[in-house]
Amino acid sequence: MLIEQIEHRWLTAFERTFALCKIQEGDVVALLTESQSRRINVDLARISLQRMGAKIFEVCLPTPALSAPAPVRSTGATDVIQHLAPVVAALQRAHVVIDCTVEGMLHAPELPAILKGADGVVPRLFMISNEHPEILERTVPDPALESVVRNAMKKLRGTQHMHVSSKAGTDLNIQLKSAVVGGVWGFCSKPGMVSHWPGGLALAFPAAGSVNGRLVMAPGDVNLTFKRYLRDTIALTIENDTITRIEGEGVDVEMMRSYYQAWIDKEGHRDACAVSHVGFGLNPAARWDAMTFYDKRDCNGTELRAFAGNFLYSTGANEVAGRHTLGHFDLPMRGCTIALDVFLHGIGGGKKGFQSSVDCFASKGYRALAWDMPGYGDSPLTGVLSFDSLARSLERMLNQANVQKAVLVGHSMGGMVALQAWTHCPERIQGLVIAASSPAFGQQDGDFQQQFVAQRLAPLNAGKTMAQVADRLVPSMVAPQALPPGAMLPDYPPGLALAHACMSAVPPDTYRAALQALVTFEQRAALPSITVPTLCLAGEHDKTAPPEVLRRMAQKIPGAQFECIPGVGHLMGFEQEAPFHQAILNFCTTSF
């Protein structure tokens, strides 16, 4: 057992963390504690704050008697304040509340009133998890975590569906349309903020009736309420948010059933069995094996919630869904795939060209993202543009979105990027849709490539703008009936007007660099190695990537499907988005 005493290195860790919270000399800081608080953390916080020049007062309350049908752990909903108005009033007037209660104030009923503040002061609340100081020392927040978590929160807010799967058998569908999204990076620096240490995770609280499917916990996954690594497989059937069946054999299964039943018997309903929140960890400093190093009294397990690459499923209170209970399970798991569709644009495109696709797939229950390749949209072009660099950039985007696997939908040059990604990171790819593309550019003899680049760059070299380039190229890449002869831009249908706008917005330097990369592409040898479901999608009138090219490609990919959309050319999704979307939806429905 580790000794709990003041150590200089722990004071340093506390001071570094409080500095990230922007606690300054003269700030009024309240220490909220209870009789069962871990006293070493209270003392470390007090001494560190004094050394920083803060004005401190402590509110220490008696830990209430247990009223629940079983011990309560990991709820984030302490009942220590007991709605005492003088306590709330005191905390409202502090610049910062340092929460050292056992369970924490994250979901406590008094928190909203405290954060309203009083007398011109708006507090922020920083919860120090009930961990041994050595754990806190190891997980001192990294300032870079804030941008990582914020980006993950943005992705969660931008999607309407999350699908989670695993080799163990998880197949879980989570609708996020009306979910409330949150995130914690381990420090809080602005009035009204709430955070906790350790931190580094993004969460969503789904609305009622949003979660259905099967969640399978494998040996090595964790029941944090019990602070226990599982030895048994537990299969949970979830219907309309609520666990309706707990299947498996062994002590882990029996203890989970018993704990849930205690709450059902006490409360007369199954809210303790319903989803509280879902999310994933993002903190590379968090260790999955952390609980093996500490006695149970020394470890609250918070870092396992924040472990980078986990999937976190929690049951219990969920205000968004109108459920209130102290029964709570935090169930972090490894080896899960959070899947989505990623749309990859062509040389004259951009992610805004796929916005209707993102909206369509989100409405069908998929999480969908569109990507700006480097040099396009808000994505800067750095270094030399090559298919290797594009595949690496795509993998970084998947990492930032915390996506282990994705179905890549690549149009034109985007299809080439998808094939390159297969050779670079096949473990990240769940499926491929190669649309209006090819496995190589020409015969690689050099002359054809040089002539192609010269022809495409001639307008720019002659002083034309990208809009003028689009004036010439867009009509040449569509089906004969898509545009009337001599049509001007005001006459374009909305889809082709969007294609023109996308091409017009491409920076000339990016267009030049992309053309030089395009003519180097060669991945024919990789086709037989593709082992994921693949759709090769052609346009009937496509002269750039003719249907026969896509048909031959499908024949060389084991199990691949081929489909040709009638009445469209190379810009298939811009010409007729409905059959383009339907072909991909049919593929996803039958393949996954």
Side-chain angles (χ1 to χ4, degrees):
M1 185 179 74
L2 294 169
I3 302 300
E4 293 190 349
Q5 64 182 24
I6 301 297
E7 300 279 1
H8 180 267
R9 67 182 194 271
W10 295 339
L11 287 171
T12 300
F14 273 66
E15 288 183 30
R16 284 175 57 193
T17 303
F18 290 154
L20 288 173
C21 294
K22 295 187 177 178
I23 295 175
Q24 300 177 353
E25 184 176 356
D27 282 349
V28 176
V29 179
L31 281 173
L32 177 61
T33 68
E34 60 181 296
S35 53
Q36 284 296 312
S37 289
R38 190 181 297 270
R39 201 65 214 175
I40 182 65
N41 288 346
V42 178
D43 293 340
L44 288 166
R46 186 188 68 254
I47 296 169
S48 299
L49 291 165
Q50 288 174 328
R51 286 166 37 146
M52 297 173 74
K55 298 179 179 179
I56 310 162
F57 67 93
E58 181 177 346
V59 178
C60 184
L61 300 166
T63 299
L66 181 67
S67 59
V72 175
R73 297 290 184 270
S74 305
T75 64
T78 180
D79 58 350
V80 70
I81 293 180
Q82 299 282 298
H83 297 286
L84 287 171
V87 174
V88 173
L91 299 178
Q92 285 177 324
R93 289 161 173 80
H95 295 106
V96 185
V97 177
I98 304 298
D99 176 14
C100 292
T101 60
V102 175
E103 287 297 305
M105 287 287 296
L106 298 179
H107 308 297
E110 300 88 358
L111 181 61
I114 292 169
L115 294 180
K116 286 182 180 179
D119 298 338
V121 174
V122 178
R124 53 193 185 273
L125 183 134
F126 185 59
M127 171 186 155
I128 299 176
S129 185
N130 186 27
E131 312 274 7
H132 191 279
E134 183 181 270
I135 298 172
L136 298 172
E137 177 193 11
R138 287 192 299 98
T139 57
V140 167
D142 180 349
L145 263 181
E146 179 174 0
S147 63
V148 173
V149 174
R150 285 190 181 277
N151 183 65
M153 292 168 61
K154 182 179 179 181
K155 300 296 185 186
L156 283 174
R157 291 191 179 110
T159 187
Q160 298 187 30
H161 177 262
M162 177 187 292
H163 178 253
V164 184
S165 60
S166 72
K167 291 182 179 179
T170 292
D171 184 7
L172 193 64
N173 288 289
I174 305 165
Q175 301 299 327
L176 296 176
K177 184 176 181 180
S178 300
V180 171
V181 172
V184 176
W185 43 87
F187 55 93
C188 56
S189 56
K190 297 179 181 179
M193 286 183 63
V194 176
S195 191
H196 61 71
W197 174 25
L201 67 160
L203 300 170
F205 293 81
S210 297
V211 183
N212 290 277
R214 185 173 174 86
L215 188 73
V216 181
M217 301 186 68
D221 290 336
V222 177
N223 183 330
L224 272 184
T225 300
F226 294 167
K227 297 182 186 176
R228 179 181 176 92
Y229 294 99
L230 298 185
R231 296 187 177 184
D232 307 318
T233 297
I234 304 177
L236 306 174
T237 299
I238 299 165
E239 298 174 330
N240 200 32
D241 294 351
T242 302
I243 295 172
T244 57
R245 286 194 299 279
I246 302 174
E247 299 173 284
E249 296 181 358
V251 66
D252 292 320
V253 180
E254 293 302 324
M255 287 196 301
M256 179 178 280
R257 286 176 180 152
S258 174
Y259 193 78
Y260 274 132
Q261 193 62 48
W263 289 97
I264 295 169
D265 293 343
K266 171 72 174 180
E267 296 180 331
H269 53 69
R270 299 182 66 88
D271 283 0
C273 307
V275 64
S276 172
H277 53 77
V278 298
F280 40 84
L282 297 160
N283 189 343
R287 295 191 62 88
W288 188 260
D289 57 6
M291 290 196 304
T292 64
F293 301 113
Y294 302 97
D295 294 337
K296 279 193 173 184
R297 72 172 303 276
D298 291 331
C299 180
N300 196 42
T302 306
E303 68 176 299
L304 277 80
R305 298 173 179 86
F307 176 81
N310 76 5
F311 171 66
L312 177 63
Y313 189 84
S314 300
T315 61
N318 180 346
E319 294 180 3
V320 179
R323 294 189 289 263
H324 303 276
T325 175
L326 284 179
H328 188 79
F329 271 120
D330 275 329
L331 307 171
M333 292 167 277
R334 295 185 301 174
C336 291
T337 294
I338 303 173
L340 72 165
D341 287 343
V342 179
F343 291 87
L344 311 177
H345 63 81
I347 193 169
K351 72 176 183 181
K352 67 179 181 181
F354 275 128
Q355 187 57 54
S356 67
S357 300
V358 170
D359 293 341
C360 172
F361 277 75
S363 71
K364 302 297 184 182
Y366 291 86
R367 182 186 178 195
L369 294 176
W371 179 48
D372 270 328
M373 291 194 299
Y376 292 79
D378 297 327
S379 181
L381 177 61
T382 57
V384 177
L385 190 69
S386 68
F387 281 97
D388 283 338
S389 69
L390 289 171
R392 291 193 299 271
S393 295
L394 174 61
E395 186 179 25
R396 283 195 296 272
M397 187 273 283
L398 295 177
N399 291 339
Q400 290 169 358
N402 202 52
V403 176
Q404 277 108 11
K405 283 191 175 183
V407 177
L408 301 183
V409 180
H411 173 254
S412 191
M413 186 177 178
M416 297 176 175
V417 174
L419 290 173
Q420 187 76 24
W422 172 257
T423 67
H424 172 70
C425 53
E427 72 282 359
R428 309 300 296 274
I429 298 174
Q430 189 173 23
L432 292 168
V433 177
I434 310 299
S437 190
S438 65
F441 190 90
Q443 297 299 319
Q444 299 296 303
D445 58 8
D447 291 340
F448 173 74
Q449 284 78 6
Q450 292 175 12
Q451 292 174 9
F452 178 86
V453 172
Q455 290 172 359
R456 287 295 180 94
L457 290 183
L460 287 181
N461 292 337
K464 302 290 186 182
T465 65
M466 283 302 299
Q468 290 171 313
V469 171
D471 288 340
R472 181 178 64 85
L473 282 183
V474 170
S476 72
M477 302 174 83
V478 299
Q481 72 277 17
L483 286 173
M488 304 298 289
L489 184 57
D491 303 319
Y492 280 26
L496 294 184
L498 176 60
H500 188 284
C502 288
M503 188 174 291
S504 300
V506 178
D509 287 346
T510 296
Y511 188 66
R512 292 176 184 274
L515 280 172
Q516 295 292 346
L518 179 68
V519 298
T520 69
F521 184 68
E522 172 59 79
Q523 285 296 347
R524 281 175 286 203
L527 299 182
S529 73
I530 296 174
T531 56
V532 295
T534 301
L535 170 65
C536 296
L537 190 58
E540 179 186 8
H541 300 288
D542 191 348
K543 299 176 183 178
T544 304
E548 190 56 31
V549 171
L550 276 297
R551 188 190 307 275
R552 290 198 302 267
M553 179 161 50
Q555 291 171 348
K556 295 178 181 179
I557 299 172
Q561 303 175 37
F562 167 77
E563 184 171 344
C564 183
I565 302 176
V568 300
H570 189 65
L571 301 181
M572 51 175 63
F574 295 98
E575 297 174 65
Q576 295 186 37
E577 65 177 30
F580 175 68
H581 292 160
Q582 192 60 53
I584 302 170
L585 282 168
N586 290 344
F587 167 72
C588 290
T589 301
T590 58
S591 300
F592 308 105

